[in-house]
Amino acid sequence: MLSGKKMRIFGTSTLVVVLAMLFAPITNAQEAKYKFDIGAGLGISGYLGDANRSNPFKKTGFEAHADMRYIGDSRWAVHGVLSTLSLSGTTEGKGNVLPGGQILDFKSQVYELSVRGEFNFFAYGIGETYKRLRRWTPYITLGVGIAMASTGGNTYVAPTVPMGMGLKFKLRPRLNLGVEWTMTKAFNDHFDSKELADVNMIKIKFYKNTDWYSRLTIGISYEFGERCETCHYVD
């Protein structure tokens, strides 16, 4: 769970992402040379919930993913991500002492498939000077997904909302390097085990008292599917 202040921060961030994506089509974007890119990446993962309410990277795990984008133009893309990550946490050292002084900990493995919208702050690419393309750009992302967590011998499935920001850099015209940080809200309070879901005796609701997980990743991708710049059609 997150505190009220942190929830407001994430809510504001989400609103900014949504507004940016809504206005993306009216920005001065250039057509991208390639339609798609495919890639993979590695990183670290962390957890926020009943066993950790402050530092999402207090106990880090491992993350790996494969991804693919449809590149609309130099400003926006649709990004599909298939990822797996490990989460862990403990109530040891928490300010709130549990009944009987008990200490609960967990480990879980999460598998997630998500689809996100992605908006670049700069026109991203390599090309002629007049196109005003940049070979690097910060970006923001927001999407929806479905995740499955295996923990304590049980399996739980929940919808998710990933949101985040990152930085892209073109190593070559078709080769990209990226760094990304995301926070994901899982609409389930069992990703950190059934025992921790009931530890505060608060009835679980779909929209609150749920688990979050974070990821800091680095990845590489390759573009393909060249667009036809001068197409000639014969009737």
Side-chain angles (χ1 to χ4, degrees), residues 1-166:
M1 291 186 299
L2 295 177
S3 66
K5 182 178 179 181
K6 290 180 179 178
M7 284 299 295
R8 287 193 296 271
I9 291 173
F10 279 115
T12 302
S13 300
T14 303
L15 180 61
V16 171
V17 173
V18 172
L19 290 175
M21 290 180 177
L22 288 175
F23 286 105
I26 65 175
T27 57
N28 184 21
Q30 298 286 342
E31 186 177 75
K33 187 173 182 179
Y34 297 95
K35 299 178 184 178
F36 308 100
D37 81 356
I38 190 169
L42 299 172
I44 58 175
S45 56
Y47 149 85
L48 282 177
D50 294 294
N52 177 28
R53 299 185 182 181
S54 57
N55 181 2
F57 293 110
K58 185 175 182 180
K59 296 192 73 174
T60 58
F62 173 78
E63 190 271 0
H65 67 268
D67 61 342
M68 185 173 180
R69 288 180 180 85
Y70 170 73
I71 305 169
D73 58 31
S74 60
R75 284 296 186 99
W76 71 272
V78 178
H79 189 192
V81 185
L82 178 63
S83 58
T84 181
L85 57 139
S86 56
L87 304 177
S88 62
T90 179
T91 60
E92 185 176 8
K94 283 186 61 177
N96 298 329
V97 179
L98 300 181
Q102 65 176 325
I103 295 175
L104 298 176
D105 52 36
F106 80 95
K107 290 184 179 180
S108 66
Q109 190 69 30
V110 177
Y111 304 89
E112 183 191 52
L113 176 64
S114 65
V115 178
R116 313 170 187 176
E118 200 170 87
F119 176 70
N120 301 324
F121 284 96
F122 305 140
Y124 181 59
I126 296 177
E128 292 81 356
T129 305
Y130 75 89
K131 292 183 178 180
R132 298 182 180 179
L133 299 173
R134 297 196 186 189
R135 65 187 305 166
W136 67 274
T137 181
Y139 67 91
I140 49 179
T141 182
L142 175 68
V144 294
I146 186 78
M148 179 180 71
S150 298
T151 177
N154 298 308
T155 299
Y156 304 97
V157 177
T160 60
V161 176
M163 59 193 83
M165 61 187 70

